[in-house]
Amino acid sequence: MAETAPILELRELRKSFGALKATDDVSLDVRPGEIHALIGPNGAGKSTLIHQVAGSLTPDGGEIRFNGEDISGLTVAQRVRLGLGRTFQVSSVAPEFSALRNVMLSVQSTQGSSFRFFKPVMHDASLVDAAMEKLSLVDLAERADVVAAELSHGERRQLEMAMALALNPKLLLLDEPMAGMGPEGSKNLTGFLDTLRHEVPILLVEHDMEAVFSLADRISVLVYGSVIASGSVDEIRTNRDVREAYLGEED
Ligand SMILES: Nc1ncnc2c1ncn2[C@@H]1O[C@H](COP(=O)(O)OP(=O)(O)OP(=O)(O)O)[C@@H](O)[C@H]1O
């Protein structure tokens, strides 16, 4: 059977900060239907890599291919329009608006027709429906009318996810989505991501190993900017280099 073409492919990506090689010849890919997790110790270069894929940081060399196209020279906005989605660590939520309105603004931004400005946003049934669908997906429909500033930390992360999904991404970059979620929130989000992968493949940076091991189809381990191992959960769990360099487990 022919291999499915990757949706995202990094080829020999490089980025240095002075003498520090934060991304050292990294090649990896994400295929349709999968969660590819990127793990590694603090300072290994995970966020630096995500920023280069998203377009907020320019690589020194190498290639970023998305859907078969080299996107290395595109801006963040151009990449978003092509379907590269992400949730931001710095929140893009407007705190004074309701959860529903925040998602509606995301939906609206995909439609790009100026005549909509003449129609009050909250009365546009198609926008409301589309936004409610995304809020339901992330299990936040019951909180639709709550002002974003009053949502809990976990709920705000769910809202950010709904806003990212409203842009109809073909791939999601998730940088530590479990951070600050608490056990219940992490469990819910894990369940959600587990089903989401079939619609949207995910490149996942996450420190929560329980979540990574239960979700990832493949894992790449980054240490000092280099991928030291890449494979299935079992392959990574039993890889001697990984255990020594990162997991620090007994035996
Ligand atoms: N703008 C920058 N200027 C200089 N050095 C930087 C910059 N951004 C990151 N670094 C350095 O690059 C290395 C990789 O950092 P990065 O934040 O990508 O690691 P990380 O794996 O995401 O870490 P963490 O798990 O703690 O979030 C670190 O040594 C960091 O100090």
Side-chain angles (χ1 to χ4, degrees):
M1 198 175 77
E3 283 232 323
T4 325
I7 178 83
L8 178 72
E9 199 179 356
L10 311 184
R11 292 183 186 166
E12 297 172 4
L13 209 62
R14 295 192 312 278
K15 177 75 185 174
S16 292
F17 298 113
L20 178 80
K21 289 181 176 177
T23 306
D24 193 1
D25 263 336
V26 169
S27 297
L28 58 82
D29 63 39
V30 182
R31 298 184 198 131
E34 81 167 345
I35 295 180
H36 190 146
L38 192 62
I39 65 171
N42 289 330
K46 305 178 294 295
S47 295
T48 300
L49 194 73
I50 292 282
H51 282 298
Q52 290 171 83
V53 178
S56 43
L57 200 58
T58 308
D60 298 334
E63 213 174 55
I64 303 167
R65 300 188 73 80
F66 182 61
N67 233 351
E69 184 185 340
D70 183 4
I71 60 164
S72 312
L74 300 186
T75 64
V76 173
Q78 287 169 326
R79 294 179 202 204
V80 169
R81 275 199 291 278
L82 285 179
L84 191 59
R86 66 170 296 187
T87 55
F88 293 85
Q89 281 192 332
V90 178
S91 178
S92 49
V93 171
E96 70 279 21
F97 290 162
S98 68
L100 177 63
R101 186 161 191 157
N102 268 290
V103 183
M104 286 172 70
L105 290 170
S106 290
V107 175
Q108 195 183 30
S109 74
T110 64
Q111 301 179 342
S113 56
S114 54
F115 76 88
R116 280 193 177 274
F117 283 112
F118 297 109
K119 197 167 180 179
V121 174
M122 297 309 285
H123 294 117
D124 187 327
S126 68
L127 275 186
V128 175
D129 290 350
M132 281 306 294
E133 185 200 318
K134 302 303 178 195
L135 283 172
S136 301
L137 256 182
V138 303
D139 204 18
L140 205 60
E142 282 176 16
R143 306 281 279 162
D145 295 329
V146 177
V147 169
E150 286 170 19
L151 295 173
S152 69
H153 175 80
E155 288 173 334
R156 225 167 312 143
R157 302 303 296 252
Q158 286 165 274
L159 174 57
E160 285 164 13
M161 193 81 74
M163 291 166 68
L165 292 173
L167 303 178
N168 297 320
K170 296 189 177 79
L171 172 87
L172 265 186
L173 304 173
L174 299 182
D175 197 357
E176 297 191 39
M178 307 291 171
M181 286 293 257
E184 187 68 16
S186 297
K187 196 166 144 246
N188 291 342
L189 185 57
T190 302
F192 169 63
L193 295 180
D194 196 19
T195 55
L196 183 65
R197 86 179 84 198
H198 302 296
E199 287 176 55
V200 190
I202 298 169
L203 181 60
L204 172 72
V205 170
E206 184 52 60
H207 280 289
D208 180 338
M209 283 305 122
E210 203 181 321
V212 167
F213 286 147
S214 82
L215 281 172
D217 297 286
R218 281 189 294 159
I219 300 175
S220 291
V221 184
L222 209 59
V223 177
Y224 293 124
S226 297
V227 175
I228 63 159
S230 194
S232 68
V233 170
D234 284 345
E235 285 164 348
I236 295 301
R237 267 186 204 271
T238 53
N239 183 296
R240 180 175 282 270
D241 293 341
V242 173
R243 292 169 74 115
E244 274 173 17
Y246 178 49
L247 297 174
E249 287 176 359
E250 67 285 352
D251 93 351

